[in-house]
């Protein structure tokens, strides 16, 4: 599929069998990452399990799962960190898993994250297969699993859960399953604020599909009803949570923005990030980091533009564009940007297409080398500053 329209694809037999090489390769890459993390952490006298389940955002999710919302941390500088900044689907699933198993909330979060990462990998495959073909679809999954910050996919974080919901919602859109697409978009909106990207993809695809069918004189009332229902469902998750936060804080629709402001987070069009990058060039050692940031942003933009030139389907471009814009234009937590870009998996499609054109032996060498680098970097990262 190479044009920018949404198509209804025919059913694909043996879906899991077709995805098996991608899933096995992905699992191998993540297993390597976890093994290296375990060895590295043990050498430093630290627990890899703790790093994966009981630090940073994972602590907030586990606390919400066990005690509900209401925890606030007031920092000496006046910042107010409220747990209302964290969307509820992952804590709900942690509570559910902990209720039916002997696992703690933290371990339940890790279990959800690991299972969701496999579902996400499968979702990346089915979308990439539709857009690029099976071989490139396998390559896309492998590339997603060996990103430098791919260790986050194996943590008690919400990135894997969100990516799984987003990918399968995109697949539903591309195959004309409007109600399923809307329901998955609803769930993605209960997982992370960037669920807005999935909603945008569903709405753009639905509107363009309706206009195209109307112009061609095709479609029927039942299809229009399903499309409208999908559009109605899509924003309910994010909107419902934001309105609930507004009611709880007494600030109405602005309540969630106030909560984010307490974390010094927001959307400023990239101004703060640009200032942060510019400040790196004030001295020679940090100038190298600044140059790396500039090259990284340029690479992300190049990948997106290349995907557009390759005529990726419109909902895929809308989704990856909104995820990228929200990640790059956030006004704080600049070290988190690689992690925030993890759900933007369609950015990897141009690289996957190029990798798919290589001979299998060369492609395996590239992926194997990237997996080793990812494993080492992930262990170094989590034993250092880690994902904020």
């Amino acid at each position: 599929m190479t044009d920018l329209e949404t198509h209804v694809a025919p059913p694909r037999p043996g879906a899991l069998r077709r995805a098996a090489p991608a899933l096995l390769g992905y699992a191998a890459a993540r297993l390597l990452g976890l093994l290296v993390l375990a060895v590295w952490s043990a050498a430093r006298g630290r627990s890899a399990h703790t790093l994966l389940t009981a630090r940073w955002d994972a602590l907030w999710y586990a606390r919400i799962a066990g005690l509900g919302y209401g925890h606030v941390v007031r920092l000496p500088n006046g910042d107010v960190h409220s747990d209302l900044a964290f969307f509820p689907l992952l804590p709900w699933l942690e509570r559910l898993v902990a209720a039916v198993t002997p696992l703690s909330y933290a371990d339940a979060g890790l279990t959800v994250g690991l299972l969701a990462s496999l579902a996400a990998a499968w979702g990346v495959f089915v979308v990439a297969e539709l857009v690029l073909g099976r071989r490139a679809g396998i390559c896309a999954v492998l590339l997603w699993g060996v990103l430098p910050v791919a260790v986050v996919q194996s943590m008690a974080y919400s990135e894997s859960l969100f990516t799984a919901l987003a990918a399968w919602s995109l697949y539903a859109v591309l195959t004309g399953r409007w109600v399923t697409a809307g329901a998955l978009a609803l769930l993605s909106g209960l997982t992370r604020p960037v669920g807005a990207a999935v909603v945008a993809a569903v709405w753009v695809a639905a509107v363009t599909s309706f206009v195209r069918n109307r112009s061609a004189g095709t479609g029927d009332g039942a299809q229009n009803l399903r499309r409208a229902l999908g559009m109605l469902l899509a924003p309910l998750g994010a909107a419902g949570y934001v309105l609930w936060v507004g009611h709880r804080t007494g600030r109405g629709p602005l309540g969630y923005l106030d909560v984010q402001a307490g974390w010094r987070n927001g959307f400023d069009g990239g101004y703060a990030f640009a200032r942060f990058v510019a400040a790196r060039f004030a001295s020679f050692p940090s100038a190298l980091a600044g140059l790396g940031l500039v090259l990284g942003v340029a690479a992300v933009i190049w990948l997106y533009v290349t995907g557009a030139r390759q005529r990726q389907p419109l909902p895929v471009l809308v989704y990856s564009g909104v995820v990228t814009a929200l990640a790059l234009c956030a006004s704080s937590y600049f070290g988190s940007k690689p992690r925030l870009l993890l759900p933007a998996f369609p950015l990897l499609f141009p690289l996957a297409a190029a990798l798919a054109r290589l001979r299998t032996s060369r492609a395996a060498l590239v992926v194997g080398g990237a997996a080793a680098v990812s494993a080492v970097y992930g262990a170094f990262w989590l034993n250092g500053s880690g994902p904020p």
Side-chain angles (χ1 to χ4, degrees):
M1 183 184 305
T2 58
D3 59 20
L4 293 180
E5 297 180 349
T6 303
H7 293 263
V8 178
R12 290 176 176 264
L16 183 57
R17 177 181 57 79
R18 294 178 63 81
L23 297 180
L24 290 173
Y26 174 80
R30 298 307 328 124
L31 179 60
L32 175 63
L34 293 176
L35 288 175
V36 172
L37 174 64
V39 172
W40 191 301
S41 301
R44 293 174 57 89
R46 307 181 73 175
S47 166
H49 178 264
T50 299
L51 294 176
L52 294 171
T53 63
R55 293 186 68 189
W56 307 292
D57 290 7
L59 286 173
W60 289 88
Y61 285 123
R63 185 181 182 90
I64 295 168
L67 302 174
Y69 284 99
H71 182 60
V72 175
V73 176
R74 301 182 184 275
L75 302 184
N77 66 355
D79 290 350
V80 179
H81 289 183
S82 167
D83 58 9
L84 293 172
F86 297 91
F87 278 49
L89 185 57
L90 178 57
W92 287 348
L93 292 176
E94 289 180 349
R95 181 177 297 180
L96 175 63
V97 172
V100 299
T101 69
L103 297 176
S104 66
Y105 293 120
D107 286 336
L110 180 61
T111 300
V112 171
L114 291 173
L115 294 176
S117 70
L118 292 173
W122 193 1
V124 171
F125 171 79
V126 294
V127 174
E129 184 188 28
L130 278 178
V131 176
L132 302 170
R134 183 170 182 249
R135 183 176 173 88
I138 294 172
C139 292
V141 173
L142 296 178
L143 289 175
W144 190 67
V146 299
L147 289 170
V149 295
V151 67
V152 175
Q153 299 165 11
S154 303
M155 296 178 66
Y157 267 47
S158 61
E159 275 75 11
S160 290
L161 178 60
F162 175 80
T163 304
L165 293 168
W168 283 103
S169 181
L170 281 177
Y171 177 73
V173 164
L174 294 173
T175 54
R177 298 171 171 89
W178 297 107
V179 177
T180 300
L184 291 171
L186 184 158
L187 293 174
S188 74
L190 286 171
T191 307
R192 297 185 63 82
V194 75
V198 189
V199 176
V202 172
W203 275 45
V204 167
V207 170
T208 55
S209 175
F210 174 78
V211 171
R212 184 175 64 251
N213 289 349
R214 187 179 181 89
S215 299
T218 59
D220 54 39
Q223 183 184 41
N224 291 336
L225 180 60
R226 290 193 297 271
R227 188 186 293 115
L229 182 55
M231 292 181 68
L232 178 64
L233 287 172
L236 293 183
Y241 181 69
V242 168
L243 291 175
W244 179 79
V245 171
H247 174 73
R248 186 179 176 104
T249 59
R251 287 281 291 162
L254 299 178
Y256 186 75
L257 296 179
D258 291 343
V259 170
Q260 287 285 9
W263 288 78
R264 297 202 177 188
N265 202 13
F267 185 87
D268 65 358
Y271 176 71
F273 184 45
R275 290 187 60 187
F276 174 79
V277 173
R280 303 306 98 193
F281 290 94
S283 61
F284 173 72
S286 64
L288 296 177
L291 179 61
L293 289 171
V294 170
L295 293 176
V297 171
V300 168
I301 295 174
W302 177 82
L303 287 170
Y304 183 78
V305 172
T306 301
R309 289 177 174 173
Q310 292 176 341
R311 298 180 63 80
Q312 291 179 8
L314 181 58
V316 173
L317 289 172
V318 168
Y319 167 75
S320 59
V322 174
V323 173
T324 301
L326 291 177
L328 294 182
C329 297
S331 60
S332 188
Y333 295 96
F334 306 122
S336 296
K337 293 193 183 298
R339 173 170 68 89
L340 298 178
L341 284 168
L342 273 178
F345 63 89
L347 292 177
L348 297 172
F349 286 3
L351 298 179
L355 187 62
R357 290 193 291 268
L358 297 179
R359 287 187 299 181
T360 301
S361 58
R362 291 184 179 180
L365 185 63
V366 171
V367 172
V373 171
S374 173
V376 171
Y377 181 75
F380 169 77
W381 194 39
L382 288 194
N383 277 278
S385 61

